[in-house]
Structure formats: structure tokens, C-alpha cells
């Protein structure tokens, strides 16, 4: 009994605590009967809520069952219509087969003509689609394909499309004419003026024309335009007056050869292929040319001054011969042997000045081909490394190394030849001036010896 009383007191205490913590609207419980009354009220509310939810679930189930029934009825109706349509399709196929058989029987020779028409259309269709003439007369290939693939007998006008397209292609192959067409990525995809030479070559009718080709059914400009006589010939044709005879480029492969020619590397590309060894060779060539040309000009001016001094015999310090004359005047009182030694000394002083820089040109001319050979070896090492890594299946992977190997050799020879020639000219000019100095010195010694002999 004590335990039961304790439990009831605990319940009452818990209910009291619950009442204190609840909102102000909740009635405060003071006895066990109040607790019981509250529990009964809560149970009644819960039962009412459960009954309401069960009623909602029951109504929703009934609605879903009704919807499912209507959908099943629609599916059955659709299946019925599908079976009816399938039966109608089979019936139409049978009727169509009978009509085709009747058509073949009644067509007679016209059916054979239609077969020949479709064969000829199939043969000429690829030609028309690859021809630049079709961009001047758009839609002819599509119209011909539509007629050739039709299941009905063509009319006379439709049959005329074939021979008219063939005649149009034959006439266009002999034309040099202007027309307008859309070139991809040009003029905001608006039609531009083009000039066509038969079915071979097409380029824009501008002062600086751009060659175009057919790519995926549309005209596109070449990624790299050909240069030189080809571009100048196209420009001449654009500027030519009607009836004037000019030379113009014709590509019988309809763009393939021009594309290959445009992809050919130019001089700058070749230099870049040479890599670092090639740049060094070209730098040495530039240095050698600067030194050699400057030395050649200096020797030319010195030679002119020496020849003028030889005529005037004026001593001074303006040129090598004038300084030799000055040395002669300074040693004029010495005997012949001493005078000769003084003049030889003066000539020896002038010789290094005349030959200064000449040997540098010769050394650069010798180094250039050696560096070219070095580039060749480096390029071959790169080529064999690529072969080791990826094999020989793709030749383009070896193109860089082979290009460097060949280009650097060419650059070395190109640098050596002009430097050797320049060295020969400079050396000959220096020897010419030196020979004049020696001749004049020998003449002065001879004159002095004659004077001494006459006085003796």
C-alpha cells in the first residue's frame, strides 16, 4: 500500500509540475480526479483525430481506385485503336504492293528510263556536291537527289533537272566568272563576291584575294594563303579588264594542291625549325657581315687616300702612306740601310691596322658550318629519341628533328659562303693597300740610293 500511495503521489506531483510548466490556458490540477479527467479528454481527442485520418485515407483510396479504373479503360481503348491501325497499315501495305505492281506493269519502258535516270543521278550527284559551280547555282544537287529518291514517277520537268545540271556543269567548266556566295567566317557569314576559274579555283574578288575551298559542304578560306606568283596571279585576274589576257593560278585538284602549297613552310618557319643552333649561325652571319662590310668600306676609303697621297707625296698622319712619307722625312739624313729599316718598321706598324678584323671574318666563316653540323647532330639525336619513344608509325612525330637536322646544315652553308667571299674581298683590298705602301717605300729607298751614288 505504501508503494501504491507513493506512485500516486508521484503521478500527482508529475501532473502538477506539468501543469506549472504548461501555458497559462491549461487548468491547474489539484487532485487525482483532475488528472484522470484530463487523460480521458486527451484520449478522446486522439481517437477523434485517428478517426478523421482513417476517413481521409479511405476516401483517398477510393479516388485512386476510380482513377486507376479510368486509366485502365483508356489503355484498353488505346490498345484497341493500335490494333485497328495495325490492321489498317497491313491493309494499306497490301494495297500499296498491288498499286506498285500495277505501276510497274503500266509504266513499261518508262520504268526502265526511270532506272537509268536514277543511275545517272547517283553518278553525277557526288560530282555536283564537290563542284564549286554548285555554290553559284545552289540547290541543284538537292533537287536532283529528291527526284532520284522519290517513290512516285517523276514529271517531265523533274526529268529535265538531270540533263540541265549536266549541261550547266559542262558550261561552267569553261567559264571565268564572278558570283556571290557565303564564305564561312567571312563578312559575318554574309555573301561575298567571288571569282571562279572553271571548277578548279575560287578566290575572293578583292585587291588582296583569299583562296577558298569546299569543306563539309561549305566554302571556307584556306588556313594559310599561298604567296608569291600564285597570289599575284590571282590579284592580276581580279584587277584585269574584260577581254584582257592575264595568267592566273589553276588547281586541277580543286584545292588540294593549293592547300598543300599554303601549308609549305616559309622562310621564317624554316628559320624557326633550325632551333637554337640555327639562331647562333644566323647571329654569326650577321656579325661577320657587319665586320666584313665595315672593314671593306674602311679599306676602300684608305686605298683612295693612299692613292691620292702617292700622287702628291705629302707627308702627314692622315693615312698609312702619309705616315710612311713622314717616317722618310724624319730619317732622311740616315744612310740607305738605316732608312730602309725605318721604312720597313713603319710598314710593319701599318700592316696590323690594315688586317684588323679580316681574320675574324675568316674564323666566323669556318665556325658557321661547324655549328650547322652541330645542329644536324642534335636534330638526328632528337629524331632517334622520338623513334625510340613512339616508333615509326607516324612520320610527323619525326618531322621536327629531321627539319632541324637539315635546316641547320643549310644555314651553316648559307652563312659560310658569303663570309668566305667577303673575307676574300677584304683580304685582297688589304693586300692591295699594303702593296702600295711597299712599292712607295721601295721607290723612296731606291731614289735615296741613286742620290747617294750620284754624290759619290
Amino acid at each position: 500500500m505504501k508503494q501504491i500511495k507513493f506512485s500516486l503521489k508521484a503521478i500527482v506531483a508529475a501532473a502538477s509540475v506539468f501543469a506549472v510548466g504548461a501555458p497559462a490556458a491549461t487548468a491547474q490540477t489539484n487532485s487525482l480526479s483532475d488528472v484522470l479527467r484530463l487523460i480521458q479528454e486527451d484520449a478522446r481527442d486522439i481517437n477523434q483525430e485517428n478517426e478523421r485520418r482513417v476517413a481521409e485515407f479511405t476516401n483517398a483510396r477510393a479516388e485512386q481506385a476510380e482513377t486507376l479504373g479510368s486509366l485502365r479503360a483508356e489503355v484498353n481503348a488505346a490498345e484497341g485503336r493500335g490494333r485497328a491501325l495495325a490492321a489498317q497499315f497491313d491493309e494499306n501495305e497490301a494495297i500499296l504492293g498491288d498499286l506498285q505492281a500495277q505501276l510497274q506493269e503500266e509504266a513499261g519502258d518508262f520504268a526502265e528510263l526511270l532506272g537509268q535516270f536514277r543511275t545517272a543521278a547517283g553518278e553525277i550527284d557526288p560530282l555536283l556536291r564537290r563542284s564549286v559551280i554548285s555554290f553559284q547555282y545552289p540547290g541543284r544537287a538537292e533537287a536532283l537527289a529528291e527526284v532520284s529518291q522519290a517513290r512516285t514517277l517523276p514529271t517531265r520537268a523533274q526529268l529535265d533537272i538531270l540533263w540541265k545540271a549536266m549541261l550547266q556543269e559542262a558550261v561552267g567548266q569553261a567559264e571565268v566568272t564572278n558570283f556571290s556566295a557565303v564564305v564561312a567566317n567571312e563578312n559575318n557569314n554574309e555573301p561575298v563576291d567571288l571569282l571562279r576559274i572553271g571548277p578548279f579555283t575560287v578566290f575572293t574578288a578583292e585587291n588582296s584575294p583569299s583562296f577558298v575551298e569546299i569543306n563539309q559542304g561549305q566554302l571556307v578560306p584556306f588556313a594559310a594563303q599561298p604567296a608569291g606568283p600564285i597570289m599575284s596571279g590571282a590579284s592580276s585576274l581580279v584587277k584585269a579588264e574584260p577581254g584582257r589576257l592575264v595568267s592566273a593560278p589553276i588547281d586541277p585538284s580543286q584545292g588540294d594542291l593549293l592547300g598543300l602549297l599554303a601549308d609549305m613552310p616559309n622562310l621564317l618557319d624554316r628559320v624557326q625549325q633550325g632551333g637554337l643552333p640555327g639562331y647562333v649561325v644566323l647571329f654569326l652571319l650577321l656579325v661577320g657581315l657587319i665586320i666584313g662590310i665595315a672593314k671593306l668600306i674602311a679599306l676602300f676609303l684608305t686605298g683612295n687616300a693612299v692613292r691620292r697621297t702617292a700622287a702628291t707625296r705629302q707627308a702627314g698622319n692622315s693615312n698609312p702612306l702619309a705616315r710612311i712619307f713622314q717616317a722618310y722625312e724624319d730619317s732622311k739624313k740616315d744612310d740607305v740601310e738605316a732608312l730602309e729599316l725605318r721604312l720597313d718598321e713603319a710598314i710593319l706598324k701599318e700592316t696590323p691596322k690594315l688586317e684588323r678584323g679580316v681574320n675574324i671574318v675568316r674564323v666566323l666563316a669556318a665556325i658557321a658550318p661547324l655549328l650547322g653540323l652541330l645542329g644536324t647532330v642534335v636534330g638526328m639525336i632528337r629524331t632517334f629519341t622520338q623513334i625510340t619513344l613512339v616508333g615509326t608509325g607516324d612520320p610527323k612525330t619525326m618531322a621536327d628533328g629531321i627539319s632541324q637536322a637539315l635546316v641547320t646544315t643549310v644555314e651553316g652553308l648559307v652563312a659560310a659562303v658569303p663570309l668566305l667571299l667577303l673575307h676574300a674581298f677584304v683580304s685582297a683590298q688589304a693586300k692591295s693597300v699594303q702593296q702600295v705602301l711597299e712599292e712607295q717605300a721601295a721607290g723612296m729607298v731606291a731614289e735615296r740610293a741613286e742620290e747617294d751614288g750620284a754624290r759619290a
Side-chain angles (χ1 to χ4, degrees):
M1 292 298 292
K2 292 182 179 180
Q3 294 179 352
I4 295 174
K5 290 181 179 179
F6 179 76
S7 299
L8 291 175
K9 290 181 179 179
I11 293 173
V12 171
S16 300
V17 172
F18 175 77
V20 172
T26 305
Q28 186 174 4
T29 58
N30 297 320
S31 63
L32 186 60
S33 59
D34 293 335
V35 174
L36 180 60
R37 180 177 54 79
L38 292 174
I39 293 174
Q40 290 176 350
E41 290 177 357
D42 291 340
R44 184 173 58 255
D45 294 339
I46 293 173
N47 291 333
Q48 292 177 355
E49 177 67 20
N50 290 337
E51 290 176 358
R52 185 185 63 78
R53 294 177 63 185
V54 168
E56 290 180 355
F57 291 154
T58 303
N59 294 333
R61 182 178 179 181
E63 292 177 357
Q64 291 175 356
E66 184 180 357
T67 303
L68 180 61
S70 62
L71 292 177
R72 286 177 178 175
E74 292 179 1
V75 170
N76 294 331
E79 289 178 351
R81 289 195 300 271
R83 288 190 294 270
L85 292 175
Q88 184 179 0
F89 178 80
D90 295 337
E91 182 180 356
N92 292 337
E93 282 289 330
I95 296 174
L96 181 60
D98 296 339
L99 293 177
Q100 288 179 344
Q102 182 180 358
L103 177 63
Q104 294 291 335
E105 181 179 357
E106 295 180 357
D109 295 337
F110 190 74
E112 183 178 356
L113 175 62
L114 180 59
Q116 294 178 355
F117 172 85
R118 289 176 175 173
T119 301
E123 292 176 354
I124 196 176
D125 181 72
L127 175 63
L128 296 180
R129 294 184 183 276
R130 292 195 305 266
S131 176
V132 295
I133 303 176
S134 296
F135 290 91
Q136 185 176 357
Y137 307 104
R140 57 177 187 167
E142 290 76 7
L144 184 61
E146 182 180 356
V147 175
S148 63
Q149 296 174 4
R151 303 183 65 178
T152 59
L153 291 177
T155 62
R156 172 63 182 273
Q158 292 175 329
L159 291 176
D160 290 342
I161 295 177
L162 176 62
W163 68 266
K164 287 181 179 180
M166 297 175 65
L167 181 61
Q168 196 176 56
E169 184 71 17
V171 172
Q173 291 181 358
E175 290 180 337
V176 178
T177 182
N178 292 291
F179 68 99
S180 296
V182 176
V183 178
N185 301 325
E186 292 287 334
N187 196 27
N188 296 324
N189 291 328
E190 294 292 331
V192 298
D193 294 333
L194 300 172
L195 196 150
R196 174 177 60 82
I197 304 177
F200 308 111
T201 309
V202 180
F203 45 85
T204 58
E206 302 172 345
N207 292 331
S208 298
S210 299
F211 288 86
V212 298
E213 62 177 344
I214 301 176
N215 187 1
Q216 297 181 354
Q218 60 180 352
L219 292 176
V220 297
F222 284 105
Q225 294 293 327
I230 296 179
M231 186 62 69
S232 61
S235 180
S236 299
L237 183 59
V238 172
K239 299 176 183 178
E241 299 177 356
R244 182 183 175 186
L245 183 63
V246 295
S247 60
I250 293 178
D251 185 1
S253 64
Q254 298 183 352
D256 294 339
L257 293 179
L258 283 176
L260 294 175
L261 185 61
D263 293 335
M264 290 289 291
N266 53 26
L267 181 60
L268 181 59
D269 295 333
R270 293 296 189 189
V271 171
Q272 292 176 350
Q273 288 175 352
L276 180 59
Y279 292 138
V280 175
V281 170
L282 294 179
F283 176 74
L284 294 181
L285 172 61
L286 179 61
V287 172
L289 290 176
I290 293 174
I291 295 176
I293 294 174
K295 189 62 180 179
L296 186 62
I297 295 173
L299 289 174
F300 179 77
L301 297 176
T302 302
N304 291 336
V306 166
R307 283 187 289 271
R308 289 194 300 268
T309 303
T312 60
R313 301 179 68 87
Q314 180 68 39
N317 196 32
S318 60
N319 59 75
L321 185 57
R323 288 189 286 270
I324 291 176
F325 279 134
Q326 186 64 44
Y328 174 77
E329 293 294 335
D330 296 340
S331 305
K332 195 172 184 180
K333 296 180 180 180
D334 298 339
D335 56 10
V336 176
E337 294 180 358
L339 178 62
E340 184 177 1
L341 292 175
R342 292 292 184 183
L343 293 179
D344 289 341
E345 180 185 3
I347 292 174
L348 290 176
K349 289 182 180 180
E350 297 297 333
T351 299
K353 298 178 182 179
L354 295 175
E355 294 181 351
R356 185 180 301 161
V358 177
N359 291 331
I360 295 178
V361 178
R362 182 175 61 184
V363 171
L364 294 178
I367 291 177
L370 295 179
L371 288 176
L373 180 60
L374 174 62
T376 300
V377 175
V378 172
M380 294 308 298
I381 292 175
R382 179 182 298 178
T383 300
F384 287 121
T385 303
Q386 291 174 346
I387 292 175
T388 303
L389 295 176
V390 300
T392 59
D394 187 5
K396 291 184 178 180
T397 59
M398 301 180 292
D400 187 31
I402 295 175
S403 298
Q404 180 174 343
L406 299 178
V407 169
T408 53
T409 302
V410 174
E411 289 175 341
L413 296 176
V414 168
V417 171
L419 289 179
L420 286 174
L421 293 175
L422 186 59
H423 172 263
F425 292 144
V426 174
S427 179
Q429 187 68 22
K431 289 180 179 180
S432 176
V433 176
Q434 187 177 359
Q435 184 178 2
V436 172
L437 299 180
E438 292 176 354
E439 289 176 356
Q440 293 295 322
M444 287 186 289
V445 172
E447 291 177 358
R448 176 61 183 276
E450 289 178 356
E451 291 177 359
D452 291 346
R455 284 197 300 268

